[in-house]
Amino acid sequence: MSIPNEANHDEPDEGRRTLLKMTGVGVAALGVATVAGAPVFAQGDPEWDKVFPKSDKVDHEKVSFKNRYGITLAADLYLPKNRADVRLAAIVVSGPFGAVKEQSSGLYAQTMAERGFVTLAFDPSYTGESGGEPRNVASPDINTEDFSAAVDFIGLRPEVDRERIGVIGVCGWGGMALNAVAVDKRVKAVLASTMYDMTRVMSKGYNDSVTLEQRTKALEQLSQQRWADAEKGTPAYQPPYNVLKGGEAQFLVDYHDYYSTPRGYHKRAVNSGNAWTQTTPLSFMNMPILTYIAEISPRPVLFVHGEKAHSRYFSETAYAAAAEPKELMIIPGANHTDLYDKVDVIPFDKLQSFFAQHLSV
């Protein structure tokens, strides 16, 4: 994360190091960029701007809708080509944190549409093709609302049975999905894949390692950054995340391999050489979004996580806090980003059976 106060640009103080640990790593580790800035990779067919191949088994449509705060959200709607003249079960999808619908969430959506569901992958507020100013800022409240707005939209589609709607959240949007479903009783089942609780990692650091003193210093610097932003009239942005210089932890290398290579790079993704605002962590650091996770019950929740993922503890503790019916599926040998796009690792058969069972008539 960039230094909150430009006047202290050369001061490697403890507060700055703590801020990096709590917020810079907590946010920036979710996406890495190259030293030279955002790379440019061919996306293939100019009419198809996704990082995954287009399926000939689904119909695709670009759509938009507004959330409760009046922000216009952009989305991709996927419908099975072989759909009969009946209303189908539907699934809304988003994530990872800092990604766009042309990446992992779109892959999940298209694949589940191939398996008979109407699906919707959307860009959260302030990111991708969705509206909202300033750009590239996140909010635990507004981004939770985004899921419910997607349920509003898809439930009004003539192809959809509004009593059979599920939700998938990937990575940091896994936590948002759980928060949304806890409050939105229209949703009948939820999957959190390779989940992060962004409020936990930003407020406590990885593995809850940040002390109260460190947290206080980080908040002091973020508070001072508000003065700087107010004086300039525009927010300061973090630099490109986690530039690889050698010796990084393996999970940072894994993020780089997805977001900054042809495998998953997309020019609109925050994580692909762009950045969040410096003060994005503020609202996350004082708002634990999984407080009411047990209220998802009696609706089912499925957690899927990689055995080797650095983030596995997020799903394990969320699973422990959730009420029945619940299930935690650990994928042998998989790391965090394997569940972004590796179709031979993501357990799509399990996802299909889970939603087919719980979104049945």
Side-chain angles (χ1 to χ4, degrees), residues 26-28 30-31 94-100 124 137-140 143 170-174 176 196 198 202 241 259 270-271 276 280 284 340:
V27 177
L30 303 184
S94 196
F97 190 84
V100 288
V137 64
S139 160
N143 296 141
V170 184
C171 184
W173 255 249
M176 301 289 188
Y196 256 73
M198 297 308 303
M202 289 198 211
Y241 307 136
Y259 287 113
V270 176
N271 294 346
W276 295 105
T280 286
F284 286 84
Y340 283 7

PDB file of all heavy atoms in Angstrom, residues 26-28 30-31 94-100 124 137-140 143 170-174 176 196 198 202 241 259 270-271 276 280 284 340:
ATOM      1  N   GLY A  26      -3.475  -6.903   3.111  1.00  0.00           N
ATOM      2  CA  GLY A  26      -4.840  -7.399   3.124  1.00  0.00           C
ATOM      3  C   GLY A  26      -5.588  -7.135   1.845  1.00  0.00           C
ATOM      4  O   GLY A  26      -6.399  -7.921   1.408  1.00  0.00           O
ATOM      5  N   VAL A  27      -5.323  -5.999   1.224  1.00  0.00           N
ATOM      6  CA  VAL A  27      -5.967  -5.682  -0.054  1.00  0.00           C
ATOM      7  C   VAL A  27      -5.062  -6.064  -1.208  1.00  0.00           C
ATOM      8  O   VAL A  27      -5.456  -6.759  -2.134  1.00  0.00           O
ATOM      9  CB  VAL A  27      -6.285  -4.173  -0.144  1.00  0.00           C
ATOM     10  CG1 VAL A  27      -6.871  -3.843  -1.497  1.00  0.00           C
ATOM     11  CG2 VAL A  27      -7.254  -3.773   0.947  1.00  0.00           C
ATOM     12  N   ALA A  28      -3.819  -5.627  -1.148  1.00  0.00           N
ATOM     13  CA  ALA A  28      -2.958  -5.730  -2.314  1.00  0.00           C
ATOM     14  C   ALA A  28      -2.559  -7.148  -2.625  1.00  0.00           C
ATOM     15  O   ALA A  28      -2.281  -7.479  -3.771  1.00  0.00           O
ATOM     16  CB  ALA A  28      -1.706  -4.884  -2.112  1.00  0.00           C
ATOM     17  N   LEU A  30      -4.320  -9.437  -2.980  1.00  0.00           N
ATOM     18  CA  LEU A  30      -5.338 -10.025  -3.832  1.00  0.00           C
ATOM     19  C   LEU A  30      -5.108  -9.714  -5.297  1.00  0.00           C
ATOM     20  O   LEU A  30      -5.872 -10.117  -6.159  1.00  0.00           O
ATOM     21  CB  LEU A  30      -6.711  -9.536  -3.385  1.00  0.00           C
ATOM     22  CG  LEU A  30      -6.997  -9.850  -1.924  1.00  0.00           C
ATOM     23  CD1 LEU A  30      -8.400  -9.419  -1.575  1.00  0.00           C
ATOM     24  CD2 LEU A  30      -6.786 -11.310  -1.639  1.00  0.00           C
ATOM     25  N   GLY A  31      -4.059  -8.992  -5.604  1.00  0.00           N
ATOM     26  CA  GLY A  31      -3.756  -8.728  -6.994  1.00  0.00           C
ATOM     27  C   GLY A  31      -2.366  -8.181  -7.118  1.00  0.00           C
ATOM     28  O   GLY A  31      -1.934  -7.406  -6.291  1.00  0.00           O
ATOM     29  N   SER A  94     -20.277 -13.169  -8.021  1.00  0.00           N
ATOM     30  CA  SER A  94     -19.297 -12.094  -8.099  1.00  0.00           C
ATOM     31  C   SER A  94     -18.032 -12.499  -7.346  1.00  0.00           C
ATOM     32  O   SER A  94     -18.036 -13.412  -6.543  1.00  0.00           O
ATOM     33  CB  SER A  94     -19.846 -10.784  -7.533  1.00  0.00           C
ATOM     34  OG  SER A  94     -19.039  -9.685  -7.937  1.00  0.00           O
ATOM     35  N   GLY A  95     -16.951 -11.766  -7.636  1.00  0.00           N
ATOM     36  CA  GLY A  95     -15.658 -12.012  -7.014  1.00  0.00           C
ATOM     37  C   GLY A  95     -14.644 -12.467  -8.046  1.00  0.00           C
ATOM     38  O   GLY A  95     -14.992 -12.754  -9.194  1.00  0.00           O
ATOM     39  N   PRO A  96     -13.405 -12.503  -7.641  1.00  0.00           N
ATOM     40  CA  PRO A  96     -12.806 -12.178  -6.355  1.00  0.00           C
ATOM     41  C   PRO A  96     -12.768 -10.675  -6.073  1.00  0.00           C
ATOM     42  O   PRO A  96     -13.150  -9.862  -6.914  1.00  0.00           O
ATOM     43  CB  PRO A  96     -11.393 -12.732  -6.465  1.00  0.00           C
ATOM     44  CG  PRO A  96     -11.443 -13.763  -7.551  1.00  0.00           C
ATOM     45  CD  PRO A  96     -12.462 -13.214  -8.517  1.00  0.00           C
ATOM     46  N   PHE A  97     -12.284 -10.312  -4.897  1.00  0.00           N
ATOM     47  CA  PHE A  97     -12.137  -8.922  -4.490  1.00  0.00           C
ATOM     48  C   PHE A  97     -11.105  -8.253  -5.386  1.00  0.00           C
ATOM     49  O   PHE A  97      -9.938  -8.626  -5.394  1.00  0.00           O
ATOM     50  CB  PHE A  97     -11.694  -8.866  -3.030  1.00  0.00           C
ATOM     51  CG  PHE A  97     -11.732  -7.495  -2.417  1.00  0.00           C
ATOM     52  CD1 PHE A  97     -12.918  -6.989  -1.899  1.00  0.00           C
ATOM     53  CD2 PHE A  97     -10.588  -6.721  -2.332  1.00  0.00           C
ATOM     54  CE1 PHE A  97     -12.963  -5.734  -1.311  1.00  0.00           C
ATOM     55  CE2 PHE A  97     -10.618  -5.469  -1.747  1.00  0.00           C
ATOM     56  CZ  PHE A  97     -11.800  -4.970  -1.235  1.00  0.00           C
ATOM     57  N   GLY A  98     -11.539  -7.260  -6.160  1.00  0.00           N
ATOM     58  CA  GLY A  98     -10.638  -6.584  -7.086  1.00  0.00           C
ATOM     59  C   GLY A  98     -10.620  -7.168  -8.475  1.00  0.00           C
ATOM     60  O   GLY A  98      -9.865  -6.715  -9.332  1.00  0.00           O
ATOM     61  N   ALA A  99     -11.465  -8.171  -8.735  1.00  0.00           N
ATOM     62  CA  ALA A  99     -11.562  -8.766 -10.065  1.00  0.00           C
ATOM     63  C   ALA A  99     -12.781  -8.195 -10.783  1.00  0.00           C
ATOM     64  O   ALA A  99     -13.551  -7.405 -10.218  1.00  0.00           O
ATOM     65  CB  ALA A  99     -11.663 -10.279  -9.969  1.00  0.00           C
ATOM     66  N   VAL A 100     -12.983  -8.606 -12.031  1.00  0.00           N
ATOM     67  CA  VAL A 100     -14.146  -8.187 -12.808  1.00  0.00           C
ATOM     68  C   VAL A 100     -14.868  -9.415 -13.343  1.00  0.00           C
ATOM     69  O   VAL A 100     -14.345 -10.534 -13.311  1.00  0.00           O
ATOM     70  CB  VAL A 100     -13.749  -7.248 -13.969  1.00  0.00           C
ATOM     71  CG1 VAL A 100     -13.344  -5.890 -13.431  1.00  0.00           C
ATOM     72  CG2 VAL A 100     -12.637  -7.842 -14.825  1.00  0.00           C
ATOM     73  N   PRO A 124     -18.968  -5.356  -9.136  1.00  0.00           N
ATOM     74  CA  PRO A 124     -19.420  -4.597  -7.966  1.00  0.00           C
ATOM     75  C   PRO A 124     -19.350  -3.091  -8.208  1.00  0.00           C
ATOM     76  O   PRO A 124     -18.645  -2.610  -9.107  1.00  0.00           O
ATOM     77  CB  PRO A 124     -18.438  -5.028  -6.874  1.00  0.00           C
ATOM     78  CG  PRO A 124     -17.897  -6.348  -7.333  1.00  0.00           C
ATOM     79  CD  PRO A 124     -17.837  -6.238  -8.825  1.00  0.00           C
ATOM     80  N   VAL A 137     -13.066   1.884  -5.374  1.00  0.00           N
ATOM     81  CA  VAL A 137     -13.224   1.929  -3.927  1.00  0.00           C
ATOM     82  C   VAL A 137     -14.228   0.841  -3.565  1.00  0.00           C
ATOM     83  O   VAL A 137     -15.097   0.492  -4.373  1.00  0.00           O
ATOM     84  CB  VAL A 137     -13.707   3.320  -3.451  1.00  0.00           C
ATOM     85  CG1 VAL A 137     -15.089   3.637  -3.987  1.00  0.00           C
ATOM     86  CG2 VAL A 137     -13.671   3.429  -1.935  1.00  0.00           C
ATOM     87  N   ALA A 138     -14.078   0.256  -2.382  1.00  0.00           N
ATOM     88  CA  ALA A 138     -14.974  -0.826  -1.965  1.00  0.00           C
ATOM     89  C   ALA A 138     -15.662  -0.457  -0.660  1.00  0.00           C
ATOM     90  O   ALA A 138     -15.165   0.359   0.119  1.00  0.00           O
ATOM     91  CB  ALA A 138     -14.187  -2.128  -1.803  1.00  0.00           C
ATOM     92  N   SER A 139     -16.817  -1.076  -0.416  1.00  0.00           N
ATOM     93  CA  SER A 139     -17.598  -0.813   0.786  1.00  0.00           C
ATOM     94  C   SER A 139     -18.269  -2.106   1.226  1.00  0.00           C
ATOM     95  O   SER A 139     -18.985  -2.729   0.437  1.00  0.00           O
ATOM     96  CB  SER A 139     -18.668   0.239   0.502  1.00  0.00           C
ATOM     97  OG  SER A 139     -19.693   0.186   1.477  1.00  0.00           O
ATOM     98  N   PRO A 140     -18.090  -2.528   2.482  1.00  0.00           N
ATOM     99  CA  PRO A 140     -18.751  -3.756   2.924  1.00  0.00           C
ATOM    100  C   PRO A 140     -20.264  -3.662   2.867  1.00  0.00           C
ATOM    101  O   PRO A 140     -20.936  -4.678   2.658  1.00  0.00           O
ATOM    102  CB  PRO A 140     -18.248  -3.934   4.362  1.00  0.00           C
ATOM    103  CG  PRO A 140     -17.724  -2.607   4.776  1.00  0.00           C
ATOM    104  CD  PRO A 140     -17.249  -1.937   3.529  1.00  0.00           C
ATOM    105  N   ASN A 143     -21.267  -3.171  -1.248  1.00  0.00           N
ATOM    106  CA  ASN A 143     -20.969  -4.383  -2.012  1.00  0.00           C
ATOM    107  C   ASN A 143     -21.804  -5.569  -1.556  1.00  0.00           C
ATOM    108  O   ASN A 143     -22.058  -6.491  -2.342  1.00  0.00           O
ATOM    109  CB  ASN A 143     -19.479  -4.692  -1.944  1.00  0.00           C
ATOM    110  CG  ASN A 143     -18.624  -3.617  -2.588  1.00  0.00           C
ATOM    111  OD1 ASN A 143     -17.556  -3.270  -2.103  1.00  0.00           O
ATOM    112  ND2 ASN A 143     -19.106  -3.037  -3.693  1.00  0.00           N
ATOM    113  N   VAL A 170     -16.888 -15.516  -4.742  1.00  0.00           N
ATOM    114  CA  VAL A 170     -15.531 -16.043  -4.868  1.00  0.00           C
ATOM    115  C   VAL A 170     -14.562 -15.131  -4.113  1.00  0.00           C
ATOM    116  O   VAL A 170     -14.638 -13.906  -4.215  1.00  0.00           O
ATOM    117  CB  VAL A 170     -15.111 -16.149  -6.345  1.00  0.00           C
ATOM    118  CG1 VAL A 170     -13.722 -16.787  -6.474  1.00  0.00           C
ATOM    119  CG2 VAL A 170     -16.136 -16.951  -7.145  1.00  0.00           C
ATOM    120  N   CYS A 171     -13.647 -15.713  -3.358  1.00  0.00           N
ATOM    121  CA  CYS A 171     -12.592 -14.990  -2.645  1.00  0.00           C
ATOM    122  C   CYS A 171     -13.228 -13.943  -1.717  1.00  0.00           C
ATOM    123  O   CYS A 171     -14.104 -14.254  -0.919  1.00  0.00           O
ATOM    124  CB  CYS A 171     -11.621 -14.402  -3.650  1.00  0.00           C
ATOM    125  SG  CYS A 171     -10.176 -13.574  -2.948  1.00  0.00           S
ATOM    126  N   GLY A 172     -12.807 -12.680  -1.792  1.00  0.00           N
ATOM    127  CA  GLY A 172     -13.345 -11.665  -0.901  1.00  0.00           C
ATOM    128  C   GLY A 172     -14.830 -11.459  -1.048  1.00  0.00           C
ATOM    129  O   GLY A 172     -15.508 -11.029  -0.109  1.00  0.00           O
ATOM    130  N   TRP A 173     -15.363 -11.770  -2.222  1.00  0.00           N
ATOM    131  CA  TRP A 173     -16.807 -11.663  -2.403  1.00  0.00           C
ATOM    132  C   TRP A 173     -17.529 -12.889  -1.858  1.00  0.00           C
ATOM    133  O   TRP A 173     -18.761 -12.895  -1.782  1.00  0.00           O
ATOM    134  CB  TRP A 173     -17.140 -11.381  -3.862  1.00  0.00           C
ATOM    135  CG  TRP A 173     -17.530  -9.949  -4.029  1.00  0.00           C
ATOM    136  CD1 TRP A 173     -18.775  -9.482  -4.326  1.00  0.00           C
ATOM    137  CD2 TRP A 173     -16.712  -8.787  -3.867  1.00  0.00           C
ATOM    138  NE1 TRP A 173     -18.776  -8.108  -4.348  1.00  0.00           N
ATOM    139  CE2 TRP A 173     -17.519  -7.651  -4.074  1.00  0.00           C
ATOM    140  CE3 TRP A 173     -15.359  -8.589  -3.557  1.00  0.00           C
ATOM    141  CZ2 TRP A 173     -17.032  -6.356  -3.987  1.00  0.00           C
ATOM    142  CZ3 TRP A 173     -14.876  -7.294  -3.479  1.00  0.00           C
ATOM    143  CH2 TRP A 173     -15.703  -6.209  -3.686  1.00  0.00           C
ATOM    144  N   GLY A 174     -16.790 -13.898  -1.412  1.00  0.00           N
ATOM    145  CA  GLY A 174     -17.400 -15.003  -0.677  1.00  0.00           C
ATOM    146  C   GLY A 174     -17.952 -14.509   0.646  1.00  0.00           C
ATOM    147  O   GLY A 174     -19.075 -14.834   1.048  1.00  0.00           O
ATOM    148  N   MET A 176     -18.754 -11.374   1.310  1.00  0.00           N
ATOM    149  CA  MET A 176     -19.877 -10.476   0.989  1.00  0.00           C
ATOM    150  C   MET A 176     -21.143 -11.286   0.690  1.00  0.00           C
ATOM    151  O   MET A 176     -22.253 -10.918   1.097  1.00  0.00           O
ATOM    152  CB  MET A 176     -19.539  -9.619  -0.223  1.00  0.00           C
ATOM    153  CG  MET A 176     -18.325  -8.749  -0.075  1.00  0.00           C
ATOM    154  SD  MET A 176     -18.558  -7.389   1.056  1.00  0.00           S
ATOM    155  CE  MET A 176     -17.023  -6.509   0.746  1.00  0.00           C
ATOM    156  N   TYR A 196     -12.424 -15.245   1.387  1.00  0.00           N
ATOM    157  CA  TYR A 196     -11.774 -14.281   2.277  1.00  0.00           C
ATOM    158  C   TYR A 196     -12.864 -13.533   3.042  1.00  0.00           C
ATOM    159  O   TYR A 196     -13.897 -13.182   2.467  1.00  0.00           O
ATOM    160  CB  TYR A 196     -11.020 -13.217   1.468  1.00  0.00           C
ATOM    161  CG  TYR A 196      -9.527 -13.324   1.382  1.00  0.00           C
ATOM    162  CD1 TYR A 196      -8.926 -14.311   0.603  1.00  0.00           C
ATOM    163  CD2 TYR A 196      -8.708 -12.406   2.031  1.00  0.00           C
ATOM    164  CE1 TYR A 196      -7.542 -14.362   0.472  1.00  0.00           C
ATOM    165  CE2 TYR A 196      -7.329 -12.447   1.910  1.00  0.00           C
ATOM    166  CZ  TYR A 196      -6.746 -13.438   1.127  1.00  0.00           C
ATOM    167  OH  TYR A 196      -5.388 -13.483   1.000  1.00  0.00           O
ATOM    168  N   MET A 198     -12.967 -10.067   4.150  1.00  0.00           N
ATOM    169  CA  MET A 198     -12.172  -8.856   3.977  1.00  0.00           C
ATOM    170  C   MET A 198     -12.172  -7.967   5.211  1.00  0.00           C
ATOM    171  O   MET A 198     -11.192  -7.278   5.490  1.00  0.00           O
ATOM    172  CB  MET A 198     -12.662  -8.069   2.762  1.00  0.00           C
ATOM    173  CG  MET A 198     -12.507  -8.795   1.424  1.00  0.00           C
ATOM    174  SD  MET A 198     -10.831  -9.417   1.122  1.00  0.00           S
ATOM    175  CE  MET A 198      -9.872  -7.918   1.261  1.00  0.00           C
ATOM    176  N   MET A 202      -8.538  -7.041   6.940  1.00  0.00           N
ATOM    177  CA  MET A 202      -8.148  -5.640   6.979  1.00  0.00           C
ATOM    178  C   MET A 202      -8.080  -5.091   8.397  1.00  0.00           C
ATOM    179  O   MET A 202      -7.312  -4.177   8.676  1.00  0.00           O
ATOM    180  CB  MET A 202      -9.101  -4.801   6.126  1.00  0.00           C
ATOM    181  CG  MET A 202      -8.938  -5.023   4.644  1.00  0.00           C
ATOM    182  SD  MET A 202      -9.669  -3.663   3.704  1.00  0.00           S
ATOM    183  CE  MET A 202     -10.189  -4.531   2.231  1.00  0.00           C
ATOM    184  N   TYR A 241       0.085  -3.304  -6.973  1.00  0.00           N
ATOM    185  CA  TYR A 241       0.285  -4.195  -5.839  1.00  0.00           C
ATOM    186  C   TYR A 241       1.415  -5.203  -6.013  1.00  0.00           C
ATOM    187  O   TYR A 241       1.571  -5.808  -7.076  1.00  0.00           O
ATOM    188  CB  TYR A 241      -0.993  -4.992  -5.557  1.00  0.00           C
ATOM    189  CG  TYR A 241      -2.223  -4.142  -5.383  1.00  0.00           C
ATOM    190  CD1 TYR A 241      -3.409  -4.509  -5.996  1.00  0.00           C
ATOM    191  CD2 TYR A 241      -2.193  -2.981  -4.626  1.00  0.00           C
ATOM    192  CE1 TYR A 241      -4.545  -3.736  -5.842  1.00  0.00           C
ATOM    193  CE2 TYR A 241      -3.322  -2.207  -4.464  1.00  0.00           C
ATOM    194  CZ  TYR A 241      -4.497  -2.587  -5.067  1.00  0.00           C
ATOM    195  OH  TYR A 241      -5.624  -1.820  -4.916  1.00  0.00           O
ATOM    196  N   TYR A 259      -3.412 -12.737 -12.153  1.00  0.00           N
ATOM    197  CA  TYR A 259      -3.845 -11.404 -12.546  1.00  0.00           C
ATOM    198  C   TYR A 259      -2.927 -10.690 -13.528  1.00  0.00           C
ATOM    199  O   TYR A 259      -3.367  -9.773 -14.223  1.00  0.00           O
ATOM    200  CB  TYR A 259      -4.015 -10.522 -11.311  1.00  0.00           C
ATOM    201  CG  TYR A 259      -5.222 -10.869 -10.494  1.00  0.00           C
ATOM    202  CD1 TYR A 259      -5.099 -11.402  -9.218  1.00  0.00           C
ATOM    203  CD2 TYR A 259      -6.508 -10.663 -10.989  1.00  0.00           C
ATOM    204  CE1 TYR A 259      -6.218 -11.723  -8.462  1.00  0.00           C
ATOM    205  CE2 TYR A 259      -7.627 -10.977 -10.253  1.00  0.00           C
ATOM    206  CZ  TYR A 259      -7.477 -11.505  -8.984  1.00  0.00           C
ATOM    207  OH  TYR A 259      -8.581 -11.821  -8.244  1.00  0.00           O
ATOM    208  N   VAL A 270      -9.149  -4.222 -10.901  1.00  0.00           N
ATOM    209  CA  VAL A 270      -8.295  -3.522  -9.937  1.00  0.00           C
ATOM    210  C   VAL A 270      -6.994  -4.288  -9.754  1.00  0.00           C
ATOM    211  O   VAL A 270      -5.912  -3.711  -9.669  1.00  0.00           O
ATOM    212  CB  VAL A 270      -9.020  -3.374  -8.584  1.00  0.00           C
ATOM    213  CG1 VAL A 270      -8.106  -2.730  -7.551  1.00  0.00           C
ATOM    214  CG2 VAL A 270     -10.310  -2.566  -8.737  1.00  0.00           C
ATOM    215  N   ASN A 271      -7.093  -5.593  -9.712  1.00  0.00           N
ATOM    216  CA  ASN A 271      -5.936  -6.440  -9.415  1.00  0.00           C
ATOM    217  C   ASN A 271      -4.971  -6.609 -10.579  1.00  0.00           C
ATOM    218  O   ASN A 271      -3.882  -7.154 -10.392  1.00  0.00           O
ATOM    219  CB  ASN A 271      -6.414  -7.824  -8.971  1.00  0.00           C
ATOM    220  CG  ASN A 271      -7.143  -7.777  -7.656  1.00  0.00           C
ATOM    221  OD1 ASN A 271      -7.096  -6.794  -6.940  1.00  0.00           O
ATOM    222  ND2 ASN A 271      -7.851  -8.856  -7.328  1.00  0.00           N
ATOM    223  N   TRP A 276      -6.770   0.098  -5.569  1.00  0.00           N
ATOM    224  CA  TRP A 276      -7.838   0.660  -4.756  1.00  0.00           C
ATOM    225  C   TRP A 276      -7.403   2.034  -4.234  1.00  0.00           C
ATOM    226  O   TRP A 276      -6.213   2.352  -4.203  1.00  0.00           O
ATOM    227  CB  TRP A 276      -8.121  -0.235  -3.547  1.00  0.00           C
ATOM    228  CG  TRP A 276      -8.658  -1.583  -3.858  1.00  0.00           C
ATOM    229  CD1 TRP A 276      -7.986  -2.767  -3.807  1.00  0.00           C
ATOM    230  CD2 TRP A 276      -9.997  -1.912  -4.256  1.00  0.00           C
ATOM    231  NE1 TRP A 276      -8.813  -3.809  -4.152  1.00  0.00           N
ATOM    232  CE2 TRP A 276     -10.052  -3.316  -4.423  1.00  0.00           C
ATOM    233  CE3 TRP A 276     -11.144  -1.150  -4.474  1.00  0.00           C
ATOM    234  CZ2 TRP A 276     -11.216  -3.970  -4.811  1.00  0.00           C
ATOM    235  CZ3 TRP A 276     -12.312  -1.805  -4.858  1.00  0.00           C
ATOM    236  CH2 TRP A 276     -12.344  -3.201  -5.023  1.00  0.00           C
ATOM    237  N   THR A 280      -9.663   2.934   1.160  1.00  0.00           N
ATOM    238  CA  THR A 280     -10.638   1.844   1.032  1.00  0.00           C
ATOM    239  C   THR A 280     -10.764   1.015   2.310  1.00  0.00           C
ATOM    240  O   THR A 280     -11.867   0.631   2.698  1.00  0.00           O
ATOM    241  CB  THR A 280     -10.287   0.947  -0.168  1.00  0.00           C
ATOM    242  OG1 THR A 280     -10.619   1.631  -1.374  1.00  0.00           O
ATOM    243  CG2 THR A 280     -11.063  -0.366  -0.136  1.00  0.00           C
ATOM    244  N   PHE A 284     -13.961  -1.169   6.256  1.00  0.00           N
ATOM    245  CA  PHE A 284     -13.793  -2.597   6.506  1.00  0.00           C
ATOM    246  C   PHE A 284     -13.233  -2.865   7.902  1.00  0.00           C
ATOM    247  O   PHE A 284     -13.504  -3.910   8.495  1.00  0.00           O
ATOM    248  CB  PHE A 284     -12.851  -3.205   5.466  1.00  0.00           C
ATOM    249  CG  PHE A 284     -13.461  -3.359   4.106  1.00  0.00           C
ATOM    250  CD1 PHE A 284     -13.487  -2.299   3.219  1.00  0.00           C
ATOM    251  CD2 PHE A 284     -14.007  -4.570   3.709  1.00  0.00           C
ATOM    252  CE1 PHE A 284     -14.047  -2.432   1.964  1.00  0.00           C
ATOM    253  CE2 PHE A 284     -14.574  -4.716   2.448  1.00  0.00           C
ATOM    254  CZ  PHE A 284     -14.600  -3.644   1.579  1.00  0.00           C
ATOM    255  N   TYR A 340      -9.925 -20.165  -8.796  1.00  0.00           N
ATOM    256  CA  TYR A 340     -10.369 -19.051  -9.630  1.00  0.00           C
ATOM    257  C   TYR A 340     -10.792 -19.527 -11.015  1.00  0.00           C
ATOM    258  O   TYR A 340     -11.793 -19.072 -11.555  1.00  0.00           O
ATOM    259  CB  TYR A 340      -9.251 -18.019  -9.807  1.00  0.00           C
ATOM    260  CG  TYR A 340      -8.998 -17.098  -8.644  1.00  0.00           C
ATOM    261  CD1 TYR A 340      -9.635 -17.256  -7.415  1.00  0.00           C
ATOM    262  CD2 TYR A 340      -8.101 -16.048  -8.778  1.00  0.00           C
ATOM    263  CE1 TYR A 340      -9.383 -16.399  -6.360  1.00  0.00           C
ATOM    264  CE2 TYR A 340      -7.846 -15.173  -7.726  1.00  0.00           C
ATOM    265  CZ  TYR A 340      -8.489 -15.358  -6.521  1.00  0.00           C
ATOM    266  OH  TYR A 340      -8.229 -14.491  -5.491  1.00  0.00           O
TER     267      TYR A 340
END
